[in-house]
């Protein structure tokens, strides 16, 4: 029998291992939703960054919580986290089940829900619990859908639906994850404009003298700028605009 969960309600979890399935109907506005998990100690924070299971770190080092990835089932998309509750470290008191949509608000995500299944029963088995998630403001870009938590030596599941408007980074940071924002890719450099050709001289070129009539030696062209003329001397080149750089 499936327990239809309301926000804040809880049920005992009898399965040794469970699958938490984030489901949604894709649309042109929102095509991808990511499921992730945070393993929290008694102080409500992660013990290290290893306690964050998400798309860039899909398996916990202990091998007890991991991502099964995305798949389509009919018209619905699913992203699944599996937790082997019987083997989770005793220092872990809670496992948060999270959904994020990058910078896209959840008001555009249709049919968002969390299903909790007995991992031993198979994917097509009837869900143990189902939670229809309705964001409070619609501006959230990350949601704590629910949590698995210990109580009296047993595991329980609580439906939450708590939202964050600063995305998965904001949510993870709130629980002690160190986010290295410098590791984010740099924006594409703005192309520099092509250099404008610069003339060789910053003043007009002197006119070229017409060739001398046949049979006469060529005479030096008059200097249009009034520079004094110098006779060539041994070892001293003729100075003129054509030698300036």
């Amino acid at each position: 029998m499936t327990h239809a969960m309301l926000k804040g309600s809880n049920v005992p979890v009898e399965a040794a291992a469970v699958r938490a399935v984030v489901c949604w109907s894709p649309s042109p506005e929102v095509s991808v939703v990511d499921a992730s998990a945070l393993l929290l100690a008694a102080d409500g924070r992660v013990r290290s960054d290893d306690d964050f299971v998400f798309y860039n770190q899909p398996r916990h080092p202990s091998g007890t919580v991991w991502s099964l990835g995305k798949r389509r089932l009919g018209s619905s998309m699913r992203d699944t986290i599996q937790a082997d509750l019987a083997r989770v470290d005793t220092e872990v008191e809670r496992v948060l089940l999270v959904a994020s949509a990058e910078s896209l608000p959840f008001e555009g995500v249709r049919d968002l829900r969390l299903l909790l299944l007995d991992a031993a029963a198979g994917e097509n088995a009837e869900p143990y619990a189902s939670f229809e998630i309705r964001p409070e403001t619609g501006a959230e870009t990350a949601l704590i859908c629910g949590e698995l938590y210990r109580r009296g030596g047993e595991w329980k599941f609580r439906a939450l639906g708590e939202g964050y408007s600063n995305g998965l980074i904001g949510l993870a940071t709130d629980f002690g994850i160190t986010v290295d924002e410098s590791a984010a890719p740099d924006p594409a450099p703005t192309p520099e404009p092509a250099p404008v050709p610069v003339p060789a001289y910053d003043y007009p070129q002197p006119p070229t003298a017409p060739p001398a009539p046949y049979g006469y030696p060529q005479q030096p062209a008059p200097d249009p700028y009034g520079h004094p003329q110098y006779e060539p001397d041994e070892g001293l080149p003729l100075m003129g605009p054509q030698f300036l750089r």
Side-chain angles (χ1 to χ4, degrees), residues 125-166:
E126 183 180 9
Y128 182 72
S130 175
F131 177 37
E132 301 289 335
I133 305 170
R134 294 180 177 84
E136 291 185 353
T137 68
E140 298 91 343
T141 52
L143 289 166
I144 302 175
C145 301
E147 64 176 357
L148 298 160
Y149 64 100
R150 297 183 193 267
R151 184 70 76 233
E154 303 295 332
W155 285 95
K156 289 188 171 185
F157 169 72
R158 178 182 289 117
L160 291 176
E162 297 175 356
Y164 284 71
S165 60
N166 52 353

Side-chain angles (χ1 to χ4, degrees), residues 52-220:
F52 187 23
V53 177
F54 69 119
Y55 45 81
N56 281 343
Q57 186 170 270
R59 190 176 187 88
H60 192 268
S62 67
T64 58
V65 180
W66 65 96
S67 171
L68 294 177
K70 296 179 177 62
R71 65 185 301 266
R72 179 183 286 273
L73 187 62
S75 61
S76 175
M77 286 295 296
R78 297 183 166 201
D79 198 6
T80 303
I81 297 289
Q82 180 158 328
D84 189 346
L85 300 178
R87 296 193 304 113
V88 169
D89 196 313
T90 56
E91 293 180 358
V92 175
E93 293 286 335
R94 299 157 61 198
V95 179
L96 298 186
L97 305 170
V98 175
S100 60
E102 295 298 334
S103 59
L104 301 172
F106 270 100
E107 64 183 354
V109 180
R110 300 182 306 189
D111 306 322
L112 182 66
R113 64 192 185 280
L114 178 69
L115 305 178
L116 194 69
L117 297 90
D118 184 342
E123 187 177 19
N124 295 323
E126 183 180 9
Y128 182 72
S130 175
F131 177 37
E132 301 289 335
I133 305 170
R134 294 180 177 84
E136 291 185 353
T137 68
E140 298 91 343
T141 52
L143 289 166
I144 302 175
C145 301
E147 64 176 357
L148 298 160
Y149 64 100
R150 297 183 193 267
R151 184 70 76 233
E154 303 295 332
W155 285 95
K156 289 188 171 185
F157 169 72
R158 178 182 289 117
L160 291 176
E162 297 175 356
Y164 284 71
S165 60
N166 52 353
L168 186 60
I169 289 178
L171 188 155
T173 302
D174 211 26
F175 289 95
I177 294 294
T178 302
V179 178
D180 182 9
E181 297 189 7
S182 65
D186 294 330
T190 303
E192 296 183 1
V196 178
V198 179
Y201 309 105
D202 58 357
Y203 45 81
Q205 296 293 322
T208 303
Y214 179 78
Y216 291 89
Q218 295 195 16
Q219 301 296 321

Side-chain angles (χ1 to χ4, degrees), residues 4-25:
M5 307 293 292
L6 298 175
K7 186 173 182 177
S9 62
N10 63 80
V11 293
V13 177
E14 300 174 356
V18 295
R19 290 179 178 175
V21 186
V22 175
C23 307
W24 74 97
S25 296

